[in-house]
Amino acid sequence: MRLRNLAAPALALAVIAALPLARPAAETPAQERAGLTPVSVSYSHPATTVKGQFLSYNDFHGALDAPAGSGAAVNGTPAGGGEFLATWLKRLRAEGTAEGRPTTTVGAGDLIGASPLVSAAFHDEPTIELMNEIGLQISSVGNHEFDEGVAELLRIQRGGCHPTDGCQDGDGYGGAKFHYLAANTISKKTGLPILPPIDIKFIGGVPVGFVGLTLEGTPGIVNPAGIASVTFADEVQTANKWGNLLKLLGVKAQVLLVHEGGAQANTADPSACNGFTGPIVPIVAGLNPEFGLVVSGHTHRFYSCKLPNRSGAQSVVTSAGTNGQLITDIDYTLDKRTRKFAEISARNVIVENGVRNPDGTWQVGPGGVFVKNPALIDAAAKRVIDKYRTAVAPIANRVVGAITADIVRDARPSGESPLGDVIADAQLAYTRSAGAQIALMNPGGIRASLAYASSGAEAPGAVTYGEAFTVQPFNNLVVTQTFTGAQIKEVLEQQFAGYAGQSTTKILQVSAGFTYTYSASAPLGSRVSNIALNGTPIDPAASYQVTTNDFLANGGDGFTNLSQGTGRVTAPGFDVDALTAYLGAGAPVAPGPANRITAVA
């Protein structure tokens, strides 16, 4: 039931929207069940109840194909891929039906954006068509839904051909059949959310309300040009505001779909909550108690927790990792008299895609790639994906270069990664003609590792354009600007949360020849030392040519100091072109040494 179908007059909704925000107070199903510890919260034991099931996932990021390389498995179990996700959703729905639980399938944002080529080449229409096929009903927006701007997000929801590229697949684009919710994405023109803030489903006659929103910090991690027409409001205040409206309408069982999250300290159990921390904790602590369930995302971590809300009662908080490799299976009971949640339990189920050996290990093929299980492929989902696989294959399968071994994006203790080194080196080489001396790369823009093993018909070590695009899928421009040595130090100091408006610590990846030391325990603004270029200390008064992508150059990821450069020169093509040129320039590329940044106590 959509917001526009509610009995409350539109005028009343507009009045509520204008009210000030309330301030918060300080196949083998047994295999998935075994070893994955579910979380469970019981609120009451009513005489008359209704049972239901939520299935949720988040941060799909257009992962139509199963992840490869170091990301191919969840704790050793090969997982993911659109046609496998469809199968496991159907299995879990069947379990729910057998238990008398109607299913609602929901998401927590970043379904699209930062996507592999098979989806990104078509502006993520393939992913939306897959979501339609596999029965997604409601999702919050995430920050990556804004990668191509507000207008494009509205097209993704409502349908219609892309204004520049048209309908590339030849059969039109009808939009999302599910409802994106964007309660805290506020139009500067109207003062109202750009998409519905809430949705309501009736389960056995009892209404369940949903509020959907993205993290308030979205402006710092997307291209500013695409979101100039909107603002992003506080998560807790927004959730409680719309939750109060739902309560006014008699909806007392509420679910928050929020694109913000946390992480476990120990990840051995995808359904546990070990040493849990993160931004979602204070968000939950400020929520009204009607929010019995919080489906979260953004951090790409898996967990199922119970955390205290503002009343001190426990809310169940879940996340299903990333790339469609997990589904959170949430069983709940509603009290028909009070219309509140009586009980909620949640567990994460791995979206297995492999073939087990008799000894319990997983079959692998040439190059150590997991063998996919044809019995777990959903035919209808495969048809959707195959259409786009076929269309993009000539581009995706073109070999652009070679590597000597896996080049991973996993950060060393210093925050530097072998792949970060390679990408920074590639951008430096790409802009040498503009006089570039240093290149800096944001770690969040590195979306996958490069695997030495073959993912298709190419030889081991060969890198295809599709693989390179999966690493850098944003089509950012590559720009070179002039900075003084003093400005460069300020950029490096701004890597640390709390300094110059930086919200979270992000260690920039650096090109060969550029080195420095930092101490995370030193005072903010004085953490970086020994900055050198080719062994020569950086002169605070001298000028240097520094290359970044335009996202960073425009102040993205909180690096406002990178927007202060002068004499900007833009290279031809995109950042992925810099990477492919570097990979194909000569001998196979080795992993970066990850020794350019030194962290000390």
Side-chain angles (χ1 to χ4, degrees):
M1 180 175 181
R2 297 194 68 173
L3 177 60
R4 64 170 178 261
N5 293 330
L6 292 173
L11 178 60
L13 295 178
V15 170
I16 292 290
L19 290 175
L21 294 167
R23 289 285 172 186
E27 184 71 277
T28 51
Q31 176 270 132
E32 285 80 28
R33 293 182 185 275
L36 300 187
T37 309
V39 64
S40 180
V41 173
S42 180
Y43 301 102
S44 63
H45 300 282
T48 308
T49 61
V50 174
K51 297 190 295 184
Q53 176 192 52
F54 301 121
L55 298 178
S56 67
Y57 49 91
N58 50 276
D59 296 274
F60 184 73
H61 288 295
L64 304 181
D65 292 316
S70 60
V74 174
N75 291 352
T77 298
E83 55 262 77
F84 300 98
L85 177 63
T87 293
W88 286 101
L89 285 169
K90 287 182 177 179
R91 288 188 175 191
L92 293 171
R93 287 178 188 133
E95 289 183 17
T97 298
E99 296 173 2
R101 298 182 181 273
T103 303
T104 309
T105 305
V106 301
D110 277 10
L111 305 176
I112 59 175
S115 304
L117 188 63
V118 67
S119 185
F122 304 94
H123 300 282
D124 278 316
E125 293 172 17
T127 294
I128 299 301
E129 291 182 13
L130 177 68
M131 297 299 105
N132 292 342
E133 171 60 37
I134 65 179
L136 183 65
Q137 293 167 276
I138 312 167
S139 179
S140 70
V141 296
N143 56 286
H144 281 288
E145 265 77 17
F146 296 93
D147 280 353
E148 294 192 47
V150 171
E152 174 64 2
L153 171 59
L154 296 179
R155 184 189 73 87
I156 286 292
Q157 174 71 82
R158 299 167 181 169
C161 296
H162 189 272
T164 301
D165 295 331
C167 287
Q168 300 176 81
D169 63 357
D171 61 3
Y173 172 64
K177 294 179 181 179
F178 61 92
H179 306 155
Y180 265 127
L181 305 183
N184 68 332
T185 306
I186 309 302
S187 167
K188 292 179 180 178
K189 182 177 180 180
T190 67
L192 296 171
I194 61 167
L195 287 167
I198 62 175
D199 205 337
I200 298 174
K201 301 292 181 186
F202 284 87
I203 309 299
V206 179
V208 176
F210 300 83
V211 178
L213 44 83
T214 186
L215 69 156
E216 184 184 8
T218 292
I221 50 177
V222 301
N223 195 315
I227 56 170
S229 64
V230 297
T231 60
F232 293 86
D234 179 85
E235 301 97 336
V236 175
Q237 296 173 27
T238 303
N240 286 341
K241 168 184 169 178
W242 291 103
N244 288 337
L245 171 62
L246 287 168
K247 188 176 179 181
L248 184 66
L249 297 173
V251 183
K252 299 177 182 178
Q254 299 176 13
V255 179
L256 179 63
L257 309 176
V258 56
H259 192 70
E260 182 59 289
Q264 299 188 65
N266 182 335
T267 59
D269 183 350
S271 293
C273 189
N274 298 307
F276 188 78
T277 58
I280 196 65
V281 177
I283 290 174
V284 175
L287 292 178
N288 294 338
E290 286 78 15
F291 286 107
L293 173 64
V294 178
V295 177
S296 66
H298 187 56
T299 57
H300 293 194
R301 300 297 191 264
F302 44 66
Y303 46 83
S304 58
C305 299
K306 50 185 178 182
L307 301 175
N309 56 47
R310 69 185 301 180
S311 74
Q314 301 291 316
S315 295
V316 172
V317 183
T318 70
S319 175
T322 184
N323 290 332
Q325 292 183 301
L326 290 160
I327 300 166
T328 308
D329 181 11
I330 305 162
D331 289 345
Y332 65 93
T333 303
L334 297 167
D335 183 333
K336 292 195 73 171
R337 183 182 64 83
T338 66
R339 296 186 168 191
K340 297 179 179 180
F341 284 117
E343 187 174 9
I344 304 173
S345 64
R347 65 185 178 109
N348 278 324
V349 176
I350 298 175
V351 178
E352 291 182 10
N353 63 28
V355 178
R356 278 191 184 273
N357 293 312
D359 64 357
T361 60
W362 298 95
Q363 290 186 23
V364 295
V369 176
F370 289 112
V371 175
K372 301 298 185 291
N373 189 343
L376 295 176
I377 292 174
D378 180 81
K382 185 176 186 298
R383 280 194 297 272
V384 172
I385 303 169
D386 278 350
K387 178 177 71 171
Y388 294 102
R389 286 172 175 149
T390 300
V392 82
I395 300 171
N397 296 337
R398 176 170 59 89
V399 173
V400 296
I403 56 179
T404 64
D406 287 350
I407 306 181
V408 300
R409 64 171 181 160
D410 306 73
R412 303 286 169 81
S414 66
E416 187 178 357
S417 74
L419 185 52
D421 285 358
V422 168
I423 291 173
D425 291 348
Q427 294 188 2
L428 180 63
Y430 197 65
T431 53
R432 283 288 193 191
S433 61
Q437 299 165 280
I438 301 165
L440 304 174
M441 175 64 193
N442 55 309
I446 306 171
R447 306 304 298 188
S449 299
L450 283 174
Y452 181 82
S454 171
S455 62
E458 78 277 7
V463 179
T464 66
Y465 182 82
E467 291 170 330
F469 190 91
T470 299
V471 172
Q472 290 192 274
F474 295 110
N475 277 341
N476 289 319
L477 301 175
V478 182
V479 302
T480 304
Q481 302 180 91
T482 301
F483 292 86
T484 66
Q487 287 178 310
I488 291 173
K489 183 178 187 296
E490 282 297 291
V491 167
L492 298 179
E493 295 288 359
Q494 202 174 25
Q495 296 176 113
F496 301 99
Y499 186 73
Q502 182 59 268
S503 58
T504 59
T505 296
K506 307 176 185 74
I507 301 301
L508 295 168
Q509 308 299 289
V510 302
S511 55
F514 186 70
T515 57
Y516 69 92
T517 299
Y518 74 83
S519 169
S521 63
L524 287 171
S526 301
R527 293 187 171 182
V528 178
S529 60
N530 301 326
I531 310 171
L533 180 60
N534 299 320
T536 301
I538 290 288
D539 181 350
S543 294
Y544 299 88
Q545 300 298 304
V546 181
T547 293
T548 67
N549 57 49
D550 66 326
F551 170 70
L552 282 175
N554 292 334
D557 269 352
F559 286 99
T560 54
N561 286 327
L562 280 172
S563 67
Q564 297 175 12
T566 60
R568 181 184 295 202
V569 176
T570 302
F574 301 104
D575 51 1
V576 69
D577 299 316
L579 179 59
T580 58
Y582 188 74
L583 294 172
V589 173
N595 63 358
R596 301 163 185 174
I597 303 171
T598 302
V600 297

